[in-house]
Amino acid sequence: MNISKAANAADLPVKTVRYYADIDLVPAPSRSDAGYRSYDEASIRKLVFVRRARLFGFSIDECRELLGLYQDQDRTSAEVKRIATKRLTEIKEKQLELQSLHDELQHLVGTCRGDHRPDCPIIDFLG
Amino acid sequence: MNISKAANAADLPVKTVRYYADIDLVPAPSRSDAGYRSYDEASIRKLVFVRRARLFGFSIDECRELLGLYQDQDRTSAEVKRIATKRLTEIKEKQLELQSLHDELQHLVGTCRGDHRPDCPIIDFLG
DNA sequence: ATTAGTCTCTCCAGTAACTGGAAGGTCAAG
DNA sequence: CTTGACCTTCCAGTTACTGGAGAGACTAAT
């Protein structure tokens, strides 16, 4: 399977698939005589796995780690849970941060008349 | 005032202040004979302004715009409010995204026993 | 057999906003 | 006069791609 078919099957841009091969995250299992990357079903499953993990916000390095666990029949669920829990903690932290950001900015936007006059509590707050 | 004093006063790393000068966001108002950047009170206020705006998640380009409005006595509060409202919308979108991410991952982590056994709903879901 | 169009390849550069480090000039204190 | 802290510029690296150039490969139609 050439790269565009594989990319299509995994719902990823061709460029991204090539990139994942370059960084050895999901290498093409073989090459044609002309040097074309050739993908099989197993590698497409890996590409899909990575796409989903990326959607969850796992970094490339975490994807690499998860992919290793994905392919390892002997890994424990504890290993996987550790990575997912770490990510969950990051998400919670980011949520708190965004919430206070939201509240403050909401307040500022609420108190700014937003008219033709120059006085502006937003600028006053920042300056 | 040399760069390290200015950076200290604005609570920014020296590297960052130099960077802001390089990209012409907050240039040093003058240079010493030896070529040292020299900062005055006005530029420190601008550095502080940028630091606060960055904390709010405004991009460098937005900071550039806000800084222009900050220094413009004739600008209307509507111009400022527009940028802040845009940022607020982005924050809300990101919050929604994070919330669904959180819920899904929370669920997966909750259903994974995280023990020595290999079966893992997190991997199953991603694969 | 040639040609047009659609692949594919590699390599280079750019994105955002810094950060780290090397090599070298400057300044104040002892 | 030397030591140490400061300053300068320039280059490289970070994350995860994305865009594009230039060149080779493959397919279908003429």
Side-chain angles (χ1 to χ4, degrees):
Chain A
M1 223 194 252
N2 279 351
I3 197 167
S4 65
K5 292 257 186 187
N8 206 265
D11 197 18
L12 283 170
V14 169
K15 274 275 187 187
T16 301
V17 175
R18 204 172 279 131
Y19 173 69
Y20 287 165
D22 284 352
I23 63 172
D24 232 1
L25 179 62
V26 183
S30 64
R31 295 271 190 149
S32 77
D33 289 352
Y36 288 17
R37 289 175 185 81
S38 186
Y39 290 87
D40 57 11
E41 289 299 329
S43 32
I44 284 162
R45 273 194 298 277
K46 289 182 215 167
L47 287 170
V48 169
F49 181 91
V50 169
R51 178 175 57 76
R52 296 217 185 118
R54 291 286 301 129
L55 282 178
F56 267 84
F58 290 104
S59 71
I60 290 288
D61 271 357
E62 282 168 333
C63 287
R64 207 182 287 275
E65 205 174 346
L66 284 170
L67 203 51
L69 298 175
Y70 173 61
Q71 297 175 263
D72 178 4
Q73 302 294 350
D74 296 334
R75 54 123 186 76
T76 66
S77 62
E79 294 179 82
V80 180
K81 190 168 182 171
R82 181 184 54 78
I83 300 174
T85 302
K86 175 166 162 284
R87 176 75 193 118
L88 192 55
T89 303
E90 288 167 9
I91 290 174
K92 285 178 187 163
E93 282 167 7
K94 193 72 189 172
Q95 279 183 314
L96 288 178
E97 192 187 325
L98 272 187
Q99 190 57 50
S100 68
L101 222 53
H102 172 273
D103 292 350
E104 278 191 271
L105 204 52
Q106 179 90 289
H107 173 70
L108 287 175
V109 164
T111 51
C112 174
R113 279 188 304 263
D115 58 16
H116 63 287
R117 280 172 294 188
D119 61 302
C120 173
I122 301 168
I123 287 284
D124 290 348
F125 181 82
L126 291 175
Chain B
M1 225 195 251
N2 279 352
I3 197 167
S4 65
K5 293 257 187 189
N8 206 265
D11 197 18
L12 283 171
V14 169
K15 275 275 188 187
T16 301
V17 175
R18 204 173 278 131
Y19 173 70
Y20 287 166
D22 284 352
I23 63 172
D24 233 2
L25 179 63
V26 182
S30 63
R31 295 272 188 146
S32 77
D33 290 352
Y36 287 18
R37 287 176 186 81
S38 186
Y39 290 87
D40 58 11
E41 290 299 329
S43 31
I44 284 162
R45 275 193 296 279
K46 288 182 214 167
L47 287 170
V48 169
F49 181 91
V50 170
R51 178 175 57 76
R52 296 217 184 118
R54 291 288 300 131
L55 282 178
F56 266 85
F58 290 105
S59 71
I60 290 289
D61 271 356
E62 283 167 334
C63 288
R64 208 182 286 275
E65 204 174 347
L66 285 170
L67 204 50
L69 299 176
Y70 172 61
Q71 297 175 262
D72 178 3
Q73 303 294 349
D74 295 334
R75 54 126 187 73
T76 66
S77 63
E79 293 179 81
V80 181
K81 189 168 183 170
R82 180 185 55 77
I83 300 175
T85 302
K86 173 165 165 283
R87 176 76 192 117
L88 193 56
T89 303
E90 287 167 9
I91 290 175
K92 285 178 186 163
E93 282 167 7
K94 193 72 189 171
Q95 279 183 314
L96 288 178
E97 190 186 327
L98 271 187
Q99 190 58 49
S100 68
L101 222 53
H102 171 274
D103 292 350
E104 278 191 272
L105 204 52
Q106 179 90 289
H107 174 70
L108 287 174
V109 165
T111 52
C112 175
R113 278 188 304 263
D115 58 17
H116 63 286
R117 281 173 293 187
D119 60 301
C120 174
I122 301 169
I123 287 284
D124 290 349
F125 181 83
L126 292 174

